[in-house]
Amino acid sequence: METIRTIAWMKEKTREARQEQRIVGFVPTMGALHAGHLALVEKAKKVCSPVFASIFLNPKQFGPHEDLSRYPRPLETDIDKLMAAKVDGLFLPDASEIYPHAFSTYVHVEGLSERLEGKTRPGHFRGVATVVLKLFEIVQPHFAYFGRKDAQQARIIQQMTRDLNLDVELVVCPIVREADGLALSSRNTYLDAEERRAATVLYRSLKAAEAELAAGVRDSLELQRTIHKVLEKEPHARLDYAEIVDAETFEPVVQVRQHCYALLAVYIGKTRLIDNMLIEAGDELRVEL
Ligand code: AMP
């Protein structure tokens, strides 16, 4: 696996592949890789060759009081994992390569970026959309792989891709979870043993809502109440939001209908975790956790 540190070299690698009529796949990450990231690579490998991954801890998507400085950076083990997964190239730029002096152009996806994650983390999605557009321009993939774990992020990138007529197809992959249901996240490493046990409350509360859906409940308030009840019983948990939203607009819905998300953001101690459940409530109910 080649490690590619400059934009010029990354562009050259992708240009070569495209000239040979090959299908370029891309998995953008911030590093501290786990099985969730590797599932994206595996999916990409099925269709694309070469598959490029990037590790870039994007400073522009962290607020001033967020965890940029203490975000885990286990670069050596990350490289081992990507090599084992047979990634063809790792794009590993410095922040100064991506944001040179006097950088001043940003992408803002209106509306979708202001809600939920965007409300608690102002400017977060501006940073995400900006870096993802830059990475798309640099890597020029045919297919780019994202996790449904960050459902709002995936939706915002899809909107940007449409609005700006980008020639990239997005593939959104299922959430990879621990055996006890906790969604894998680089931030799980912040949890101490007791918090780690408490963190399953996100999954448990979504499971409780799933059971209500299966019993025929479609009223969002009732589902939210069920989620709250489970969360309230967990002393380490503090709710940021629990919302049932339309999967296109991310606006709250009164009644669950086709293509919704139940979205959760919960503090476990000082660590903020997110999780979600995709709900397709047409003639038949289909739920994806
Ligand atoms: P990050 O390194 O946190 O920016 O994540 C990089 C990509 O991996 C994003 O598209 C995430 O949605 C995805 N991802 C993170 N955790 C998971 C997970 N547990 N399951 C599936 N995808 C994930």
Side-chain angles (χ1 to χ4, degrees):
M1 183 181 76
E2 186 174 358
T3 299
I4 303 156
R5 290 189 176 265
T6 67
I7 291 169
W9 191 235
M10 185 65 246
K11 284 191 170 177
E12 177 59 23
K13 297 304 292 178
T14 216
R15 196 183 57 78
E16 272 170 22
R18 278 181 168 259
Q19 236 167 23
E20 291 167 12
Q21 312 294 324
R22 298 206 277 147
I23 299 179
V24 178
F26 178 45
V27 180
T29 82
M30 298 201 299
L33 302 179
H34 51 63
H37 299 112
L38 299 175
L40 305 183
V41 170
E42 205 175 302
K43 192 91 178 239
K45 291 288 292 180
K46 291 210 169 97
V47 177
C48 309
S49 173
V51 171
F52 296 115
S54 63
I55 296 180
F56 181 63
L57 195 50
N58 177 29
K60 305 256 185 220
Q61 69 188 70
F62 286 78
H65 306 296
E66 292 185 351
D67 56 344
L68 175 63
S69 60
R70 70 178 189 125
Y71 200 87
R73 299 170 193 234
L75 184 58
E76 294 296 308
T77 48
D78 281 353
I79 289 175
D80 290 346
K81 285 175 186 174
L82 293 175
M83 282 193 343
K86 300 200 160 53
V87 165
D88 299 281
L90 166 62
F91 182 47
L92 185 67
D94 277 343
S96 61
E97 180 77 357
I98 299 296
Y99 301 116
H101 178 64
F103 178 88
S104 60
T105 303
Y106 292 86
V107 183
H108 178 61
V109 178
E110 286 180 3
L112 281 168
S113 297
E114 273 72 64
R115 296 193 257 289
L116 302 153
E117 283 302 284
K119 200 178 235 174
T120 306
R121 308 182 66 190
H124 170 64
F125 286 124
R126 182 175 96 134
V128 170
T130 301
V131 81
V132 171
L133 177 60
K134 280 177 69 78
L135 290 169
F136 283 177
E137 284 299 299
I138 296 162
V139 180
Q140 301 202 10
H142 294 93
F143 293 92
Y145 294 80
F146 293 88
R148 205 198 78 223
K149 158 97 185 330
D150 300 278
Q152 191 179 3
Q153 168 177 284
R155 176 69 190 90
I156 284 170
I157 293 167
Q158 181 197 49
Q159 188 67 40
M160 173 182 80
T161 303
R162 275 189 211 155
D163 287 350
L164 301 181
N165 310 102
L166 305 182
D167 278 328
V168 54
E169 181 128 351
L170 304 186
V171 183
V172 181
C173 304
I175 301 176
V176 178
R177 297 177 180 281
E178 301 279 7
D180 62 7
L182 177 65
L184 295 190
S185 163
S186 308
R187 292 191 166 94
N188 292 349
T189 54
Y190 300 153
L191 304 169
D192 66 27
E194 204 173 314
E195 288 170 345
R196 171 63 189 80
R197 271 191 297 277
T200 59
V201 74
L202 283 86
Y203 180 71
R204 287 188 275 119
S205 67
L206 291 173
K207 280 302 261 186
E210 182 192 24
E212 290 234 292
L213 282 161
V217 174
R218 294 291 179 272
D219 182 67
S220 291
L221 273 179
E222 206 169 325
L223 294 166
Q224 272 172 296
R225 263 199 296 274
T226 301
I227 291 171
H228 285 183
K229 260 193 226 151
V230 177
L231 288 167
E232 275 160 16
K233 281 194 214 131
E234 179 47 70
H236 291 285
R238 184 166 58 83
L239 180 69
D240 183 359
Y241 61 76
E243 300 258 4
I244 319 288
V245 302
D246 180 88
E248 272 290 300
T249 63
F250 277 67
E251 294 278 11
V253 294
V254 176
Q255 288 281 313
V256 171
R257 47 175 193 250
Q258 265 178 351
H259 312 308
C260 290
Y261 281 112
L263 297 169
L264 274 186
V266 177
Y267 290 93
I268 303 291
K270 288 198 171 109
T271 305
R272 187 169 176 280
L273 301 177
I274 58 171
D275 202 344
N276 71 76
M277 169 167 80
L278 175 63
I279 308 164
E280 315 260 4
D283 293 341
E284 260 181 58
L285 176 73
R286 204 174 66 82
V287 174
E288 255 183 62
L289 262 156

